[in-house]
Amino acid sequence: MARKPRRMSASGYMHIIVRGVGKQILFEDNMDYRHFLDRLEQYSLETEVKICAYCLMENHVHLLAHGLLPSISLLMKKIGVSYSEYYNKRYDRVGHLFQDRYISEPVETERYLTTVFRYILQNPQKAGICSMADYPWSSYLSYRTPPGFMDLSVIKTLIGDWVQYEDFMNAVGKDECLEYDSERSDDWAITRLKECLNVPTGTVLRTYRKTERDAALVKLKECGLSVRQIERLTGINRNVIQRAGRSRKKSQERTSPQILTVI
C-alpha cells in the first residue's frame, strides 16, 4: 500500500518524532548524543530548516521544526542516513536503526505551538529522569541565547522573558501531542471528520454559531476523534471542545487560539 503524503501546515511548523526500530536504544553514551546534535546542527543549516525545540531521549527524538516540507524531509533523511552509518560502525551492527520513516504532525495554531514546545522539553521530567533544567540533551537552556540553527523568535513573543518561560514550562497541565503508537492517526481523523460532518476542512467549525459548533464537536467525539485531534484539525480551544455536550455549567470563556501566520 502506498504511503500517504505528509500533511503540512501553512505556517511551516512541524512536530517530528523518530524512534529506534523495535525500541532500539539510539544513544549509548554522551558521544552518541553529541554526534546526533552535531549532525542536527549541520544539516539544519544546510537545508535552512530552523529548529525551535529538541529533546533526545534514549530510544527516540522529538523535534519542533520550521521550514518547507521538502527541506524538512531532506533534513530528516540526511540525519537518518548519517547517524545510522555512524551508529552501526561504532557498535558493529547492521540493518535499520530507525523505525520506519519519521512521523510528523502540522502545528496550526499559536496555542498548539506552545503546547508542543513545552511537551517536547518536559519529556525527561515526565519520564522521571531529572528536571527539565538539568537534562543535558534538550534545548531547554537555549531559550536565552539560541544557537544559529535554532529560531525561537515566535516562541518568545508568545511566552515572554526567562521568568515567564520558567513559569510556563513548570505549569501543571495535561499537554497531549503526537505519539508514535497512536492507534488512530491524524490522516484517519481528517477522513473521519469529513465523513461525519460533510465538510471540506475542520477549520470551518470556527465560523459556526455556538450551538451549531458544539453539536458538531459532540458528533466528532462520538465518531471517535480525540480531543487533541479535534483541537489540531479545527483550531478550537480544547476547553471549548471538552465542554461541548456537557450539561449547563458556567465557566469563563477563553478566546480561540490564533492561527499561525507564515513566517
Side-chain angles (χ1 to χ4, degrees):
M1 182 181 293
R3 287 174 171 173
K4 294 181 180 179
R6 294 187 186 279
R7 291 195 306 115
M8 186 68 184
S9 72
S11 68
Y13 287 94
M14 297 287 281
H15 176 201
I16 298 166
I17 303 176
V18 290
R19 289 190 186 275
V21 62
K23 299 184 179 179
Q24 163 78 42
I25 290 177
L26 299 176
F27 309 106
E28 300 281 357
D29 58 22
N30 291 352
M31 181 176 175
D32 293 343
Y33 285 104
R34 284 195 292 268
H35 186 86
F36 188 97
L37 287 178
D38 286 345
R39 298 291 76 76
L40 177 62
E41 178 174 7
Q42 176 188 348
Y43 298 135
S44 294
L45 293 172
E46 286 183 8
T47 58
E48 298 184 340
V49 173
K50 292 295 185 179
I51 303 300
C52 306
Y54 65 80
C55 185
L56 280 53
M57 302 293 281
E58 189 178 58
N59 66 356
H60 68 283
V61 175
H62 281 271
L63 300 174
L64 177 56
H66 179 255
L68 300 175
L69 182 54
S71 298
I72 290 176
S73 296
L74 180 59
L75 165 67
M76 299 312 297
K77 180 179 180 181
K78 283 175 172 283
I79 290 176
V81 171
S82 176
Y83 189 76
S84 294
E85 289 179 350
Y86 155 83
Y87 189 93
N88 285 352
K89 182 177 181 180
R90 186 177 185 205
Y91 295 106
D92 192 25
R93 73 181 294 276
V94 295
H96 296 292
L97 177 61
F98 296 103
Q99 185 168 325
D100 202 12
R101 62 175 184 167
Y102 71 93
I103 62 168
S104 62
E105 64 171 342
V107 178
E108 305 282 9
T109 66
E110 291 177 353
R111 185 185 302 279
Y112 196 56
L113 179 65
T114 55
T115 294
V116 171
F117 180 78
R118 177 166 58 188
Y119 178 84
I120 289 174
L121 298 181
Q122 284 183 341
N123 261 246
Q125 193 163 294
K126 288 184 175 179
I129 298 172
C130 63
S131 70
M132 292 174 284
D134 292 331
Y135 191 68
W137 309 116
S138 81
S139 57
Y140 181 88
L141 295 177
S142 298
Y143 192 80
R144 277 198 179 103
T145 310
F149 73 100
M150 295 189 69
D151 182 5
L152 299 181
S153 56
V154 174
I155 295 287
K156 286 187 173 183
T157 63
L158 299 175
I159 296 177
D161 60 22
W162 179 262
V163 174
Q164 293 169 311
Y165 169 67
E166 288 189 308
D167 288 342
F168 174 77
M169 293 303 297
N170 286 293
V172 177
K174 295 181 180 180
D175 294 344
E176 293 181 332
C177 298
L178 177 71
E179 286 297 345
Y180 193 87
D181 56 359
S182 175
E183 293 181 2
R184 292 174 171 174
S185 68
D186 276 358
D187 287 332
W188 172 89
I190 291 170
T191 301
R192 191 70 174 137
L193 181 147
K194 292 178 179 178
E195 291 173 348
C196 288
L197 302 181
N198 192 28
V199 294
T201 175
T203 55
V204 300
L205 269 67
R206 292 187 293 115
T207 66
Y208 287 9
R209 290 180 299 177
K210 182 179 183 300
T211 53
E212 295 173 334
R213 180 203 66 197
D214 287 355
L217 293 174
V218 170
K219 190 170 183 180
L220 288 178
K221 288 189 282 188
E222 291 173 346
C223 286
L225 278 74
S226 67
V227 171
R228 65 184 181 183
Q229 285 175 325
I230 297 171
E231 181 183 38
R232 287 198 294 271
L233 300 183
T234 65
I236 294 174
N237 185 335
R238 74 168 46 228
N239 291 332
V240 174
I241 298 168
Q242 290 170 332
R243 286 198 299 266
R246 291 180 181 175
S247 55
R248 277 199 242 165
K249 193 176 181 181
K250 291 187 178 179
S251 56
Q252 289 185 337
E253 209 52 49
R254 294 187 183 179
T255 56
S256 296
Q258 297 297 306
I259 298 298
L260 282 162
T261 54
V262 179
I263 306 302

